[in-house]
Amino acid sequence: MVTSGKGYGNQKNKVTQDRLLTFLSPARAIQTGRDGVILLLSRIERAAFSQDLYGLAGVTFPNSLDRAVEKRRAEYLAGRMLALRALSHFGYQRAHLPIGPDRAPVWPKGINGTISHTQNWCAVILTNQPRLFVGVDVEANLKLSTINSISSVVLGEDEEDVISGSSIPLAMALAAAFSGKETLFKGLYPLVGEFFGFEAARLRSISETNGIEFTLTYNLANELPIGQTHLVNLLPFAQHVLTWHIFQPNSPDPLHHTADKLSSLRPKTSRT
């Protein structure tokens, strides 16, 4: 039996696609209710990872990961693969997404977004709207053994009262509060221009139906004054939580108003 070059090429492409889809499942599109925003969620199959998937997926392997463990290499690849899928919704068929100096992806001009991943799940939110700032985070529900340590780092006493008074199971509620603050950090970072800590946003309420409400405790930027309220969306799924935030500042030129307004009381933290 003789296989034509074309037939062999088609078969090879199918095998490649099957391997990529085994590693990173077809994306689930999450409705955000906003035009020009795409939010995708996919499952990662860590056992299906191998280094050659980078080339098959058209993702450049960064030198900074030369000494990284396989888990980190797999998560990075999954994030870039899902980002490329999201970019295709805006007409980008190929794009190089290097790591920027702040460790965030360097997006194509006119695109703003964030990536998040756990051991088994990956999420990406992107927008092509210049005055929107978007953030996303995915976290596994906390284990009982880590609840106290996470709570002491992420929450103040009054925030713990909000958690205990909610109808959400404790492991999920704490994961959602942590995830919500991570989402705010990622989405607002381009406006603030520097890292800020968990204490910059105070948890006010949390529910599966209404999401997570935070109030800023510092003047982070002209468009982010103390007392400003931010609603983070919440989606529980498969013993995980997905949170996302979309913010449109009132200023006509938000990138020209950065963090020179920061309160002198605000601690200097470094968190990515």
Side-chain angles (χ1 to χ4, degrees):
M1 176 179 173
V2 178
T3 303
S4 69
K6 182 177 181 180
Y8 174 77
N10 290 338
Q11 183 180 13
K12 184 178 180 181
N13 287 338
K14 184 179 185 305
V15 170
T16 296
Q17 289 303 311
D18 287 347
R19 287 188 62 196
L20 292 174
L21 289 175
T22 299
F23 170 64
L24 187 68
S25 69
R28 172 187 174 186
I30 309 297
Q31 298 300 315
T32 66
R34 297 293 295 263
D35 293 334
V37 177
I38 181 74
L39 173 58
L40 299 181
L41 176 69
S42 287
R43 181 174 176 82
I44 305 170
E45 185 58 58
R46 284 271 311 283
F49 172 77
S50 61
Q51 189 67 27
D52 68 315
L53 289 181
Y54 273 88
L56 297 178
V59 174
T60 301
F61 181 76
N63 294 334
S64 59
L65 294 187
D66 279 341
R67 298 184 180 181
V69 298
E70 183 175 280
K71 175 180 179 292
R72 172 60 180 143
R73 295 180 181 215
E75 290 173 347
Y76 181 90
L77 175 61
R80 282 340 194 242
M81 285 177 60
L82 192 57
L84 291 176
R85 294 180 189 177
L87 283 168
S88 70
H89 289 264
F90 296 126
Y92 293 88
Q93 297 307 311
R94 292 287 178 184
H96 177 48
L97 303 175
I99 303 173
D102 54 4
R103 297 177 59 187
V106 178
W107 300 104
K109 185 177 180 179
I111 298 293
N112 174 35
T114 58
I115 300 172
S116 179
H117 44 67
T118 65
Q119 180 173 330
N120 300 113
W121 292 91
C122 181
V124 170
I125 189 169
L126 294 182
T127 181
N128 63 355
Q129 302 300 303
R131 297 192 62 241
L132 288 185
F133 295 82
V134 294
V136 71
D137 189 71
V138 58
E139 301 289 342
N141 290 349
L142 296 183
K143 297 179 180 178
L144 293 178
S145 60
T146 62
I147 282 179
N148 289 336
S149 60
I150 295 295
S151 177
S152 63
V153 172
V154 176
L155 302 176
E157 289 186 11
D158 55 338
E159 295 175 295
E160 292 179 357
D161 293 338
V162 174
I163 293 290
S164 61
S166 76
S167 59
I168 301 177
L170 181 59
M172 179 192 297
L174 281 174
F178 172 75
S179 181
K181 290 193 177 190
E182 284 287 319
T183 284
L184 272 183
F185 167 79
K186 294 174 183 177
L188 300 182
Y189 174 79
L191 272 172
V192 179
E194 63 177 89
F195 301 128
F196 52 94
F198 290 120
E199 73 287 340
R202 178 178 293 118
L203 177 67
R204 301 301 300 271
S205 65
I206 181 170
S207 76
E208 290 189 50
T209 54
N210 297 323
I212 314 168
E213 185 179 297
F214 294 99
T215 298
L216 299 184
T217 60
Y218 299 106
N219 293 316
L220 295 178
N222 282 349
E223 307 81 4
L224 301 169
I226 186 172
Q228 187 179 73
T229 298
H230 289 259
L231 181 63
V232 174
N233 299 280
L234 170 63
L235 176 66
F237 72 99
Q239 300 302 309
H240 285 68
V241 293
L242 176 71
T243 60
W244 69 96
H245 179 247
I246 302 171
F247 178 64
Q248 184 169 8
N250 293 325
S251 169
D253 193 6
L255 290 179
H256 289 168
H257 301 284
T258 52
D260 57 313
K261 291 74 54 181
L262 292 172
S263 166
S264 59
L265 299 177
R266 178 169 161 253
K268 298 294 183 181
T269 58
S270 291
R271 181 169 58 85
T272 59

